[in-house]
Amino acid sequence: MNTPAPPEPDHDSGPFWVALDEERIVLQRCAGCARLRFPPIGRCPWCREPRSTWTPVDGRGRVYSWTVVHHAFEPAFADDVPYVVATVDLDDGPRIALRCAGVPDFGTRVSPAFVRHDGWTELRVVPDA
């Protein structure tokens, strides 16, 4: 089994990856318009404000859409196919894309799951029971 390569955190994304290693989720909150954003970037896409603060979120939300991946984009995930990538509208605001356990339906409630790899932690979601 291959091991997925760790992400390469930069100035904008470093705190996000550190928090995942601690099994926490933090997102940037714009200092100008107060919107949460994902993925971590250097300026707010709505008001262009460069300042932001890292805000804890619980990672719960609803599935907006999903796709079943049949061809791994990375050789390390070849043993996992097929797997689901879902777009999730977080209760706290932004829409994110991440792996999901099982095949959800539109509107399925999901909760975060932290998957440890060698040297990094991946955020996924699982359908609520």
Side-chain angles (χ1 to χ4, degrees):
M1 180 174 163
N2 296 323
T3 301
E8 296 181 19
D10 59 19
H11 172 76
D12 297 317
S13 67
F16 173 77
W17 294 108
V18 168
L20 288 186
D21 281 341
E22 298 168 353
E23 297 194 1
R24 298 180 305 112
I25 305 167
V26 295
L27 301 179
Q28 291 172 307
R29 181 176 300 282
C30 176
C33 68
R35 291 175 85 167
L36 286 171
R37 65 181 182 246
F38 185 85
I41 54 177
R43 286 187 177 272
C44 178
W46 295 281
C47 74
R48 302 201 27 84
E49 170 64 49
R51 295 174 298 130
S52 64
T53 57
W54 289 98
T55 303
V57 299
D58 71 8
R60 298 180 197 291
R62 290 192 181 278
V63 172
Y64 173 79
S65 186
W66 74 94
T67 187
V68 178
V69 176
H70 293 278
H71 180 76
F73 68 93
E74 162 89 26
F77 293 106
D79 291 341
D80 294 348
V81 293
Y83 59 86
V84 173
V85 175
T87 50
V88 174
D89 288 331
L90 295 180
D91 293 343
D92 293 305
R95 180 176 290 163
I96 65 173
L98 61 175
R99 283 184 55 177
C100 180
V103 179
D105 199 356
F106 298 108
T108 298
R109 294 284 308 162
V110 292
S111 296
F114 301 91
V115 178
R116 298 223 178 252
H117 298 285
D118 187 22
W120 66 288
T121 302
E122 178 186 3
L123 178 61
R124 296 184 186 179
V125 289
V126 295
D128 289 353

